[in-house]
Structure formats: C-alpha cells, structure tokens
Amino acid sequence: MNILVTGGTGLVGGHLLYNLTKSGKKVRAIRRESSDLSAVHSLFDSLGAPSSQWDLIEWFEADILDYPQLDEALDGIDYVYHSAAMVSFLPKDKYTLYQINVQGTKNIVNLCLNHKVKKLIHVSSIASLGRTDSKQVITENNYWKESKHNSNYAISKYNAELEVWRGKEEGLCVAIVNPGVILGPCFWGKGSSAIFDKAWAEFPFYTNGVNAFVDVRDVAQVMELLMESDISGERYILSAGNYSFKSVLWGMSDKMGKKKAAYEAGPKLRQLAFYLDWMKAFFKIAPQSLTRETARSAGSQYNYSAEKATKELGISFLPLEKMLDYSIPKYITYKEG
C-alpha cells in the first residue's frame, strides 16, 4: 500500500502518521520547506514511538499550491489522506484561505485522477455544512445556505468539498469526514489549542455557546477505517457530543488545577472585546485575534448529530473527559518543561 498524507505536520495529520506507522505502514508525507517537524516529533515521543517507527515516514518537500511538486509527490501513490488546510477567521486571510483550502484541494483531486489513485479521504469540517439562525440539529443531509454566519473559513471548506465531489463524478473513489472542534495534544499555539491557553491563564470569562467536539484520535481512526472500507461517496460528521465552551473550559481548568472562569461573556461584552482587539491591531499593539464572526459564534449554540458515523461505522466517540485526560497532562508538561 503506497500512502500519501498531506498536512502531516498538523494535529490530524500527525496523529494519522503515528497510527499508520505504528501498524508498520510506510508513508510519504508532504511538508513545505519552512515546515517545523518538532510538534510531530513531540507527539511520537509522548506516545513512546521508537525511532524505527519515525523512519517509516518519507518526508517529501512540496507545497500544496505547487502543481509540479505535487505531481512528483503522487508518483506511485495509491491512497491519499488529504488533511492539509488553513484555519483562520481573520478577514485579511480570505484570499490565502481560498488558495490553500480550495485550490490546494483542487490540485490534489486532479492529481489523484491523473495518477489513478485508488481512494482519497478528505478532511473537511462541520463548518462546511453551513449555519443557520435556527437551533435545528445539523446532519450530513443539511444543504449549504448563504448566510452572514458563514465565515470565510466555512466558505472555503464548502468549496473544497465541491472539488472532492467533482472528483467523485469523474471516477475518483472518495470519502469525507466533517469533524467538530478537534481536541488533541502537542500542536500547541494553533487552532483549537487556544482554549487550553485560556484555561491555563485562568481567563476569567466564559461563554455558553455550544459546538461539536471530537478527539483527534477518533478523527484519525475513522479516516483509516474509511480508507480500508468499500465506502465511497459518503461523508460523516465526527463528534463526541455538543458541549458548551463553558463546560470544556471548566473541565480543562479542573484538570490543570487552575481557577475556573467566573464571568459569562454576553453579546455586548463579546462585541466590546472584538472592538478592543481590533483597535490593538490597528495601532500595531498586538496582532488581531478576534473577528465579528468568532465573537458571535462564541455565544451561538450549534447542535450536530454523529448518528450516521456511529451507526454505519460502529465507532464510539471518546467523551470529553477522556479527551482531556489524553491532552491535559501533555499540555502541563509542555508549559512546565
């Protein structure tokens, strides 16, 4: 089995590489020239992987937007896991989001077709399912609707999925996973790891917004399961449940031995936080970290159903308690080390 993994230096890709190599599979993983492998090394070390396991990875230098490089990377490849993506909610990143998430996926799909790849597993997001003002339960059957609640990130992931479905229509065997907020260790300072930092710093505010959360180990497991199955043309929401940001933050604080956030950040306070953050960025005091979308979504309640995955794939998702038991000790070591 000749396997290619994109996004191997990220949270999902790193865990996928660990799983694949643990079972003795040789894997080719794409990395950019500037990529830092220290987080992947840290993950392998924290899980007790021997050096022989790391040696099963062939790191291939290629940029997902460089078609000739990608063409070379896919030479001799039969199976592709596509987890490379950019996550950002900042307006200034709109063009880059499109380039990496949409054009990058288009490149992968086209080359999979050209190289007659046997199967492509694409990592999307629950964001690609769209969001509405209602509190309806969102499933894989939801249709995308234009809405002011759709971030540039969500739009880019939706359009990336369209490229994958196009590939299916042209004869490519595909499956898509739509994870909720992914929690996992070692890739600190990126994406969803920000909530760990809030708990550690004893950030005093919480929100009662609700979203789907999932352990990174479950995401990697489902990706492998789908690759090894006869399933094609399907997508699956991956979620252990719909948790409030308050419960996640408090759960982290408990396990870190930190003081819990005591004050609820309502709509007015979140809007004020956005303006203050914008002003700091405008006057070059600090980089912008909040947007109108993130301020609004932090208080929104979205409910997703992973019933299709549990029924059709037979997976039991790890609950929040086990997610935190896996990640928090590694985070403490990171902070205190």
Side-chain angles (χ1 to χ4, degrees), residues 237-253:
I237 291 174
L238 307 185
S239 168
N242 300 294
Y243 298 99
S244 70
F245 291 107
K246 174 185 176 181
S247 65
V248 175
L249 187 61
W250 278 18
M252 289 180 173
S253 298

Side-chain angles (χ1 to χ4, degrees), residues 257-308:
K258 296 291 185 175
K259 186 188 300 182
K260 293 179 181 177
Y263 308 102
E264 181 181 356
K268 291 183 179 179
L269 184 57
R270 294 197 305 274
Q271 192 65 19
L272 175 62
F274 159 68
Y275 283 120
L276 291 175
D277 185 76
W278 182 87
M279 289 181 67
K280 285 193 294 184
F282 181 80
F283 289 106
K284 303 187 186 313
I285 298 171
Q288 185 178 356
S289 60
L290 287 176
T291 67
R292 284 190 175 89
E293 289 89 350
T294 54
R296 180 174 56 242
S297 64
S300 301
Q301 297 187 353
Y302 299 111
N303 293 287
Y304 296 85
S305 171
E307 184 178 1
K308 179 179 178 181

